[in-house]
């Protein structure tokens, strides 16, 4: 069975998981055992009708506990080679142009191999999607096409460069993300790499978030060495990762349903807040003025073991509580500010409590392995209350933990993280083939 079909059937999104499914497919082992899958298997004769229940009860987007080493990844060749060349290592530092178009913002950056941000530009699409209450893929693609050339030019200008010819290598996000948006950035990067004969690096979007924690972009710089624990929290993903090296991760847990960022967006919509630029910042701002104990909401999976997350139940409890308030008080969608603030604060408190519980278990597990560094990355890591509560969690541990969180502006999608992830790969002698590179939504 084609491993892409398996990925779609199982609802898995990340490339780590796709690579694992590819292995499963090649070994004729079923990824799940529902009746529909057995029927499909019988029709294709490519898989036996019975087998291990690989995905039943496991986190969406991950195979929990599986190791995803560089040589197994779609983006890392089995034999690590500079398939499109490497920068001139005779220079003290080389430069990389990073391009990010996985979702709704066009991000470009020029980064030096020592971590210095030479130039950066971001074309926001907030005004494009505001009236729709969320990201519209077709509109996002059109906006990327319209802005990508200008965004590249602005980043180069800030870096004091007049042409891509002055860049040493080019990197781009190739997945996961919205396919039609990914293609805009990928095709542009491939075209530039061929035209200017530059090394080309294909970057995994999630790994780029994680690797940014290692970039020397903050003062004072806190070195992050492998292995370390990472909590990745964003609009589309929620994962706990044991990071053992570049392209080498152990997925400890993931969301069984929705990501935390998705839950924030849903809450913002229910409260009538604008979500064009993401509902998270809106909920966070209103939560600052509310009483976090005013609305009683259950902490998800409070009595269940493991390191997986779940936010669907919390979203439903929030919706029911809000509906009950409206019915009991005879009000419509136009809620008083105090009520909006209290609901926002209560949701945020409980959602972070769930994070703390699952993260605490991951920290306990990693401590037994000698790991004492935590990197919190992804768009939701920009939330000030999340940062504060996780800082407290680290300080409460018996073992001293080092906490690293990128600056808030670099927690959301950006070109800097793409360029740095490429730098990590280039330093290992890895670049990707240009002409055959595909995107992996």
């Amino acid at each position: 069975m084609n491993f892409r079909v398996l990925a779609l059937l199982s609802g898995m999104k990340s490339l780590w998981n796709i690579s694992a499914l590819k292995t499963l497919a090649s070994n004729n082992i079923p990824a799940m055992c529902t009746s529909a899958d057995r029927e499909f298997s019988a029709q294709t004769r490519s898989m036996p009708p019975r087998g291990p229940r690989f995905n039943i009860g496991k986190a969406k987007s991950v195979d929990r506990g599986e190791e995803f080493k560089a040589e197994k990844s779609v983006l890392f060749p089995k034999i690590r080679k500079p398939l499109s060349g490497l920068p001139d290592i005779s220079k003290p530092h080389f430069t990389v142009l990073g391009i990010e178009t996985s979702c709704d913002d066009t991000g470009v950056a020029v980064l030096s191999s020592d971590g210095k941000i030479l130039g950066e530009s971001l074309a926001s699409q907030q005004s494009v999607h505001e009236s729709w209450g969320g990201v519209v893929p077709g509109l996002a693609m059109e906006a990327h096409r319209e802005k990508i050339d200008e965004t590249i030019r602005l980043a180069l200008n800030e870096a004091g460069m007049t042409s891509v010819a002055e860049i040493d290598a080019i990197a781009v996000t190739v997945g996961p993300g919205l396919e039609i948006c990914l293609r805009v950035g990928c095709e542009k990067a491939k075209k530039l790499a061929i035209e200017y004969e530059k090394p080309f690096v294909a970057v995994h979007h999630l790994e780029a978030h994680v690797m940014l924690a290692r970039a020397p972009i903050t003062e004072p710089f806190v070195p992050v060495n492998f292995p370390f624990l990472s909590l990745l929290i964003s609009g589309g993903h929620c994962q706990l990762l044991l990071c053992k090296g570049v392209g080498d991760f152990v997925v400890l847990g993931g969301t069984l349903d929705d990501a935390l960022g998705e839950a924030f967006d849903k809450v913002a919509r229910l409260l009538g807040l604008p979500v064009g630029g993401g509902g998270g910042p809106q909920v966070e701002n209103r939560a600052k003025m509310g009483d976090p104990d005013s609305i009683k909401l259950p902490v998800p999976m409070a009595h269940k073991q493991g390191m997986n997350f779940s936010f669907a139940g919390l979203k439903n409890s929030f919706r029911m509580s809000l509906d009950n308030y409206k019915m009991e008080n005879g009000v419509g969608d136009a809620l008083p500010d105090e009520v909006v603030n209290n609901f926002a604060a209560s949701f945020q408190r409980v959602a972070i409590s769930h994070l703390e519980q699952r993260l605490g278990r991951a920290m306990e597990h990693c401590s037994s392995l000698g790991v004492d560094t935590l990197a919190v990355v992804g768009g939701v890591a920009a939330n000030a209350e999340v940062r504060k509560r996780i800082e407290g969690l680290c300080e409460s541990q018996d073992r001293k933990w080092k906490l690293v969180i990128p600056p808030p502006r670099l927690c959301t999608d950006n070109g800097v993280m793409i360029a740095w992830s490429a730098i990590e790969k280039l330093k290992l002698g890895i670049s990707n083939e240009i002409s055959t590179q595909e995107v992996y939504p």
Side-chain angles (χ1 to χ4, degrees):
M1 182 184 292
N2 186 286
F3 75 93
R4 293 178 184 275
V5 175
L6 278 171
L8 291 172
L9 288 174
S10 59
M12 298 179 176
K13 298 178 181 178
S14 82
L15 293 186
W16 293 314
N17 186 66
I18 289 178
S19 64
L21 286 173
K22 185 175 182 180
T23 302
L24 292 176
S26 66
N27 291 334
N28 287 331
I29 300 175
M32 63 200 95
C33 290
T34 65
S35 59
D37 299 329
R38 285 195 293 270
E39 181 180 353
F40 183 80
S41 178
Q43 291 172 351
T44 61
R45 300 297 182 184
S46 63
M47 303 172 73
R50 298 181 183 275
R53 298 166 67 88
F54 278 98
N55 193 46
I56 301 299
K58 287 194 176 182
K60 182 181 74 173
S61 303
V62 302
D63 278 330
R64 177 167 49 83
E66 294 292 332
E67 292 194 37
F68 297 88
K69 293 185 180 296
E71 61 267 21
K72 296 181 182 178
S73 170
V74 175
L75 300 184
F76 286 84
K78 186 172 183 180
I79 301 176
R80 294 188 173 193
K81 288 184 177 180
L83 299 181
S84 56
L86 293 173
D88 182 1
I89 59 175
S90 65
K91 294 183 178 181
H93 303 293
F94 60 85
T95 57
V96 175
L97 177 72
I99 300 174
E100 156 62 26
T101 63
S102 65
C103 191
D104 58 337
D105 286 338
T106 309
V108 178
V110 178
L111 209 65
S112 171
S113 58
D114 62 354
K116 184 178 180 180
I117 302 174
L118 304 177
E120 185 181 4
S121 181
L122 184 73
S124 172
Q125 295 184 14
Q126 180 173 348
S127 61
V128 175
H129 305 286
E130 184 71 60
S131 61
W132 297 94
V135 177
V136 181
L139 296 180
M141 177 193 66
E142 292 174 2
H144 284 307
R145 284 178 173 173
E146 179 183 344
K147 294 293 185 180
I148 191 165
D149 287 333
E150 179 186 4
T151 310
I152 292 173
R153 179 182 62 80
L154 291 173
L156 289 172
N157 287 348
E158 188 175 305
M161 300 177 179
T162 59
S163 169
V164 176
E166 300 174 67
I167 291 290
D168 294 315
I170 297 173
V172 65
T173 308
V174 296
L178 300 174
E179 181 174 5
I180 57 177
C181 295
L182 289 166
R183 289 194 180 281
V184 175
C186 186
E187 292 307 312
K188 172 59 68 173
K190 288 164 63 176
K191 180 180 178 181
L192 292 174
I194 292 172
E195 179 180 353
Y196 292 96
E197 299 181 338
K198 301 296 181 180
F200 172 84
V201 181
V203 174
H204 188 295
H205 181 78
L206 304 186
E207 182 175 33
H209 274 298
V210 175
M211 289 297 104
L212 188 61
R214 286 171 43 84
I217 56 177
T218 57
E219 294 292 342
F221 170 56
V222 180
V224 176
N225 299 317
F226 296 114
F228 63 93
L229 172 64
S230 180
L231 170 65
L232 193 161
I233 40 178
S234 67
H237 301 87
C238 190
Q239 297 181 335
L240 283 164
L241 306 167
L242 177 58
C243 309
K244 302 169 69 176
V246 177
D248 190 355
F249 304 88
V250 177
V251 183
L252 302 177
T255 177
L256 297 171
D257 36 65
D258 301 318
L260 179 53
E262 290 177 286
F264 267 104
D265 287 344
K266 180 64 173 180
V267 166
R269 292 190 190 96
L270 290 171
L271 293 176
L273 301 175
V275 295
Q282 299 293 332
V283 173
E284 179 187 3
N285 290 335
R286 299 304 288 267
K288 294 175 182 177
M289 300 177 283
D291 179 0
D293 298 312
S294 59
I295 310 298
K296 304 305 178 185
L297 297 169
V299 176
M301 302 171 67
H303 303 294
K304 291 194 175 183
Q305 297 300 312
M307 290 174 269
N308 289 329
F309 302 92
S310 173
F311 295 99
L314 176 58
K315 287 196 312 183
N316 190 52
S317 295
F318 181 90
R319 179 186 57 78
M320 293 175 62
S321 296
L322 186 60
D323 288 346
N324 289 339
Y325 174 86
K326 291 178 179 179
M327 183 175 62
E328 292 171 359
N329 293 274
V331 298
D333 292 334
L335 297 169
D337 285 344
E338 181 181 0
V339 173
V340 172
N341 297 342
N342 287 341
F343 268 95
S346 297
F347 166 79
Q348 181 172 263
R349 175 186 62 82
V350 174
I352 298 176
S353 293
H354 182 44
L355 279 185
E356 289 174 320
Q357 184 186 67
R358 318 314 275 189
L359 175 57
R361 290 175 181 168
M363 293 170 72
E364 181 179 354
H365 169 73
C366 289
S367 288
S368 67
L369 303 177
V371 175
D372 60 3
T373 301
L374 169 65
V376 183
V377 300
V380 184
N383 183 298
E385 186 66 15
V386 168
R387 298 165 83 99
K388 176 183 175 183
R389 294 268 294 271
I390 292 180
E391 285 175 3
L393 180 64
C394 289
E395 293 172 357
S396 69
Q397 300 298 303
D398 293 335
R399 179 182 185 140
K400 184 177 180 181
W401 275 76
K402 178 170 63 177
L403 175 63
V404 178
I405 310 178
R409 71 178 186 84
L410 294 179
C411 288
T412 53
D413 296 348
N414 60 82
V416 172
M417 69 183 197
I418 304 306
W420 178 258
S421 185
I423 288 169
E424 294 263 20
K425 292 178 69 174
L426 290 166
K427 287 181 176 179
L428 293 176
I430 302 172
S431 65
N432 297 87
E433 175 61 47
I434 303 174
S435 61
T436 59
Q437 183 61 55
E438 295 290 338
V439 298
Y440 300 91

